[in-house]
Amino acid sequence: MSFKIIKSEKAEQKYKEWKVLGKPIPCVNSYLKVTGKAAFTDDIIRPNMLYGKILRSPFAHAKIVKIDASEAEALPGVSSVITYKDVETMGVSQKPPAYILTDRVFYVGDVVAAVAAEDEAIAEEALDLIKVEYEPLPFWLTPEEASSAQPMHPEVTKDNIVVGMWPPYYRSVGDIKEGFKGSDIIVDVEFRKPNIKHMFLENFTAVAEWRGDELHVWSHPQVGAVSFAMMLASIFNVPTNKVHVYQCFIGGGFGGKMGDAPLRVAALAAMLAKKSGRPVKIRTNIREHFVEGAVLDPGISTFKYKIGADKLGNLKAIDATVWAGQGERSINLGIVYCGDTIFNTYRIPNRSFKAYPYYTNTPMSQALRAYGSQAGVPPLEEAVNEIAEKLGMDPVDFIIKNGLRDGDIVTQYLHNDFQLAGGSLPELVQKAAEIFNWKEKWKGWSVPTEISGSKRRGIGLAVATHTAWGVPQPDRVKDTVIIKVNVNDGTVEWVTDGRDIGSGFDTVVSQVIAEVLGIDIKDIIHAPPQSVGQPIGGWTFASKALQSTVFAAYNAANNLKRNIITAAASILNVDPNRLVLDLKGTRIYVAGDPTRYVKLSKIGEIYGGILIGIGSCPSHYEGPESYMDPVTGRRLGMKGMFCSFAEVEVDIETGKIDVIKLMVATQPGMILNPLMVYGQLIGSAVHGMGCMLWEGIIYDEKTGTPLNASFIEYPIPTALDVTEDQFVCVTIVDPDDAKLTPYRAKGIAEGIFAAMWHSIHMAVYNAIGRKIREFPLRPEKILRALGKAPFPQTKGVV
Amino acid sequence: MKRFEHFNAKTIDEAILLLEKYDGEAKVIAGGTDLIRVLKDDILPKYPKAIINLKTIANLEYIKEENGVLKIGSLTRLSDVASSSLIKTKYNLLSEACRSVGTPQIRNMGTIGGNLCQDVQCWYYRASKSLGKVFHCLRKGGNVCYAVSGDNRFHSIFGGKGCVAVCPSDVAIALTALDALVKTKGPLGERVFPVSELYKDAALNLGRSEIVTEIQVPEPPPEARQIWIKFRLRNSLDFAIVSVAVMLTLEEGVCKDVRIALGGVAPTPKRLKEVEDFLKGNYINSETAEKAGKMAVAKAFPLSHNAYKIPITESLVKRVILMAKDHRTLT
């Protein structure tokens, strides 16, 4: 594998200024993690603790007519059983469509009851003794079926359209009718996607304990501990300051540990703990991961895109519609970002996006390595490719002509539009194409680059843009960082309301603090988040930590440093600019004259015995004047720019696809830690490869049961499925590509996935000359497309 | 997992006695890489009352050659079989098949006997209570095979008596092509029989208290060429969609002897006797190999979702024969 970092002169200059940033510093928690000493939720054992197990629904949609738990309760070793009947008596508030327990089940595996017992074996046996009588109801998995079905949640909507963010799910810019009138060529493309899963290694786990009216919960939410406490407080109608959430190490998230699934498991543990009067741990297994956890939003979807261009290849209009099966609930943020892709990847003057997100009988939909923008890429690229093919244009030239670039207006759905400040797809694609040797390899549309026996090679590319700025956040999740300096030895602790999900968050924020305060990263620790006594934070999601948490840390560290220096300057009676902060030496001295100093403890006394710096990130959308372009007067914003090039080999006798080469490229602004960036690029690329080639939940159509619910049946790539020379990561490093953050860096963990998976799709098309407008591209699909074996169109695509 | 009794057997006879005592309600465990999944998923119609550990039995982990026969103790780990230089040199087909099982961790724990005796992978059969839905299928005493009318993309293309799950063991396919024997011990004593007879209708053809103790492989002629191909989604750890084992002996380009076994396509390891008869005495070239591929699937009758296995099988049989002829190994 190789990692190419191409630096501009400005970037070189910045790297010279930095002492800690830009360096390949290993993850600060790596030692704890690789030696098994990091405390994950499942490592928490409380005195007198019980174990909980969950009874799950065999029906995709049903009403519980009768439930009798008396036999289970009578089993020796069982402490308590909860069913929907306990909800009211325990004061649990329930808002449809987000139930903890109710007398209805909305998908196979939905929660019916839970048991707490002395050990898991007894709890499991007790589940068998709960007698449930169901009245099965009609169920549906696809948006097409949902559109004509009875409403799933008649309490909130009459038409099965999901009540989430951004109704009425329609947005347009320009005039598409005029746009199509002015088009010389118009194509219609229909594309389908299955439900895909996060497949992190740590299954949903929670420990709950009541101490009087205080609720203590250990969990692994991707939302911050304070936000999680607020959610639990509202479920149990208790004051937020009585809910203590301890955010443990997170064993992978990819968006799947955002609010709902960890919350329900924690709430069930808390309900059992309340009824038993003892602490309860629930740890789910990999099977339950498929029915407790979410799928990518949008879920099982059909995309219909109509797109027009003139003879010269200038895109004129797009009319895009998405029918999405969103599961039993969703906030639809993925749908929003699906639209974002259509509006903000290519310069298309006339645009329309409509979405029909439906309730379906599968688990809820959520972010999965991004909210929806990755799902929007394959259908958009399919449509754009078809135009380019009909015009006989090389796709690289087509992107250079039409791609989004610096200074363009970015259309947003939930907030004001902004002007793009840095980053440009045409420039990125041009540079990356040279490195990939595209012009030499390209032989035209649907022409293999190489044929050998039954093997056909093909190349492809795709582009994507993605939020690099955090998604719009309500005020309550604004980022704050607090830094504390210990005056006795100058060591530093920092805290925010968020935890590393594997993207290097702890490490990079520590680097920022080390850089400002001039100390070694080893002298800094990130205090484990716990809700009580801590500020609220911005969660770890949406590629945002690198902007907003880093911004908050930068402000906190600078505030702290300024306070220390100002106090020292007045004691020493010197110009503050002449002072050097030497935390390790626990003193502040005059530059060039170390004998003139003041002790850190003295400064501590001035500030009431404690040295603390607080900083927050300015709200993204009401930023200071520097967020305005002085020339146009427009508000500025950022987006990540991504492209990917793929070379594949398809065996037309067996339908097997081998990925020969994958090259992903981005303009990350400055790289604050090359190890983290490399890890994220590779991780994102491999994740996307698995989704395009193999993944997707296969449902039994008669019952709605997910059939491939385990690591052996749901094939994600392992380390053995990638080889050394398969991947190339390219970063074009220039501070001007991320103008709006203190260190000129933006998040890259999500967008690569979006570009990458379609580059494989295009490469397969060019290799075999058959369009397969869905994924995954399993052998059965390839052989069907080649006319070698029939394969039925399955519900849910896979 | 639910509660069960656990016994560390010191001898095979003790294990057999315990099996007898529990009368069908006990299971033996060696590496446990499959049984633990079965227990966690709680898929058996009756949860076993006892688990009998065989790893505590001495002298069942060995690889040796005696009078032209390779003998492997049933507790020998797959990783040891795969890396044995004796097996690599003379019985490479077996070595390759073992190496293609699971992951390195699974091969380090899983035993050769366990691989032969693992339960089928049908996803209807394996649907777990943790998911909510359990299919009370034919294997569990029900009346229906849900795969026949459901998603059967990984099931048999050569039918089955009721259950259409395929034999999941890679080792069994290689051993079938090697004409190997298994030795078992039960309450009635020991018996030795061909590996192909270990399976019947997608199930193990063993007595209730019978334990596999040894695998015996006759030494192939030194000039025999052995090739193993396992077709799967990921190269890392999937079960076979289709696998082919071939043993081919040539004399001046003419097939003197050949044995071909297919995996992943039928409820039991499938020997291609007709194809073998066709090839014997014929020149091995792309024409005969192609014909062999076609013959291999001539009697296939796919279910609703698995017709794609036919072209794959056809292609792999052809390839495996040509690879054997050219002395090529896996590419």
Side-chain angles (χ1 to χ4, degrees), chain A residues 51-55 75 78 115-117 119-130 283 285 288, chain B residues 1-3 38-43 47 128-130:
Chain A
Y51 290 85
K53 281 272 170 196
I54 299 168
L55 181 68
L75 183 73
V78 170
V115 173
D119 62 40
E120 283 182 327
I122 299 172
E124 216 169 291
E125 286 165 29
L127 293 182
D128 288 353
L129 301 174
I130 301 174
R283 47 178 185 185
N285 62 31
E288 291 176 281
Chain B
M1 272 194 278
K2 293 176 178 169
R3 289 173 286 187
V38 167
L39 296 178
K40 278 187 171 174
D41 284 340
D42 192 4
I43 57 170
Y47 208 86
S128 148
K129 278 182 188 165
S130 329

Side-chain angles (χ1 to χ4, degrees), chain B residues 220-225 248-251 256 327:
Chain B
E223 69 276 18
R225 297 159 184 195
L248 175 73
T249 314
L250 288 176
E251 213 172 59
K256 190 170 140 204
H327 260 311

Side-chain angles (χ1 to χ4, degrees), chain A residues 655-711:
Chain A
K656 182 148 185 157
I657 298 170
D658 282 320
V659 173
I660 306 297
K661 200 66 130 192
L662 262 185
M663 192 190 94
V664 293
T666 184
Q667 296 162 322
M670 295 295 289
I671 290 177
L672 301 190
N673 187 327
L675 287 181
M676 309 296 145
V677 169
Y678 185 51
Q680 287 302 306
L681 291 176
I682 287 286
S684 201
V686 173
H687 194 170
M689 181 186 88
C691 287
M692 182 48 72
L693 294 182
W694 308 317
E695 297 180 34
I697 302 177
I698 297 168
Y699 292 96
D700 174 52
E701 295 182 1
K702 290 201 180 73
T703 60
T705 310
L707 292 172
N708 55 341
S710 75
F711 274 109

Side-chain angles (χ1 to χ4, degrees), chain B residues 180-226:
Chain B
L181 305 168
V182 284
K183 187 167 143 191
T184 64
K185 195 167 186 193
L188 303 173
E190 290 192 330
R191 60 183 186 123
V192 178
F193 54 93
V195 165
S196 52
E197 289 169 23
L198 183 60
Y199 305 95
K200 201 179 162 209
D201 307 336
L204 275 182
N205 189 19
L206 282 179
R208 189 172 263 192
S209 307
E210 196 172 2
I211 298 170
V212 172
T213 54
E214 190 180 80
I215 287 91
Q216 302 176 352
V217 192
E219 188 182 336
E223 69 276 18
R225 297 159 184 195
Q226 310 172 26

Side-chain angles (χ1 to χ4, degrees), chain A residues 454-455 651 653-656 783, chain B residues 227-232 240-246 260-265 272 275 289-290 292-294 296-297 308-324 328 330-331:
Chain A
S454 62
K455 309 274 178 80
D651 189 326
E653 285 184 1
T654 64
K656 182 148 185 157
L783 292 170
Chain B
I227 303 283
W228 169 250
I229 288 192
K230 181 173 173 182
F231 184 85
R232 47 186 167 172
I241 292 172
V242 179
S243 65
V244 190
V246 72
I260 307 173
L262 294 182
V265 292
L272 296 178
V275 179
E290 201 155 305
K294 285 201 163 55
V297 294
Y308 74 102
K309 285 189 179 189
I310 294 176
I312 295 173
T313 309
E314 184 183 332
S315 173
L316 295 191
V317 168
K318 175 187 78 179
R319 281 177 204 194
V320 107
I321 292 168
L322 291 175
M323 281 163 71
R328 274 186 289 134
L330 272 178
T331 48

Side-chain angles (χ1 to χ4, degrees), chain A residues 500-565:
Chain A
D500 201 332
I501 51 164
S503 53
F505 169 79
D506 286 358
T507 309
V508 172
V509 176
S510 295
Q511 278 178 267
V512 166
I513 294 168
E515 184 76 39
V516 175
L517 298 180
I519 51 170
D520 193 315
I521 198 165
K522 290 192 183 71
D523 294 322
I524 302 180
I525 67 145
H526 174 205
Q530 58 179 73
S531 59
V532 173
Q534 240 183 235
I536 190 153
W539 313 354
T540 37
F541 77 126
S543 294
K544 61 150 274 286
L546 197 61
Q547 293 82 50
S548 52
T549 316
V550 159
F551 218 139
Y554 172 83
N555 285 340
N558 277 303
N559 289 341
L560 175 66
K561 186 176 177 182
R562 191 168 45 246
N563 290 346
I564 295 173
I565 296 282

Side-chain angles (χ1 to χ4, degrees), chain A residues 384-534:
Chain A
V384 166
N385 290 349
E386 185 139 327
I387 289 251
E389 178 171 8
K390 288 202 165 147
L391 288 167
M393 277 179 83
D394 182 320
V396 168
D397 300 335
F398 196 84
I399 292 162
I400 290 171
K401 200 175 201 65
N402 289 288
L404 192 76
R405 65 203 71 184
D406 199 1
D408 283 355
I409 300 301
V410 169
T411 308
Q412 298 216 104
Y413 287 79
L414 301 170
H415 283 264
N416 296 332
D417 296 351
F418 64 76
Q419 181 185 319
L420 190 62
S424 169
L425 283 179
E427 191 190 315
L428 176 67
V429 167
Q430 192 153 25
K431 284 186 181 159
E434 279 167 28
I435 298 168
F436 187 76
N437 233 347
W438 176 269
K439 292 278 171 195
E440 235 168 79
K441 288 182 181 168
W442 176 250
K443 293 207 169 139
W445 287 99
S446 85
V447 180
T449 53
E450 231 177 287
I451 299 177
S452 160
S454 62
K455 309 274 178 80
R456 302 280 181 279
R457 281 200 183 191
I459 55 171
L461 87 152
V463 291
T465 65
H466 184 59
T467 173
W469 196 221
V471 296
Q473 295 165 44
D475 282 343
R476 67 188 176 94
V477 291
K478 202 175 275 182
D479 276 77
T480 308
V481 168
I482 297 179
I483 303 171
K484 171 186 148 202
V485 172
N486 295 310
V487 294
N488 60 325
D489 59 4
T491 54
V492 170
E493 296 152 22
W494 63 275
V495 61
T496 190
D497 194 27
R499 196 130 210 206
D500 201 332
I501 51 164
S503 53
F505 169 79
D506 286 358
T507 309
V508 172
V509 176
S510 295
Q511 278 178 267
V512 166
I513 294 168
E515 184 76 39
V516 175
L517 298 180
I519 51 170
D520 193 315
I521 198 165
K522 290 192 183 71
D523 294 322
I524 302 180
I525 67 145
H526 174 205
Q530 58 179 73
S531 59
V532 173
Q534 240 183 235

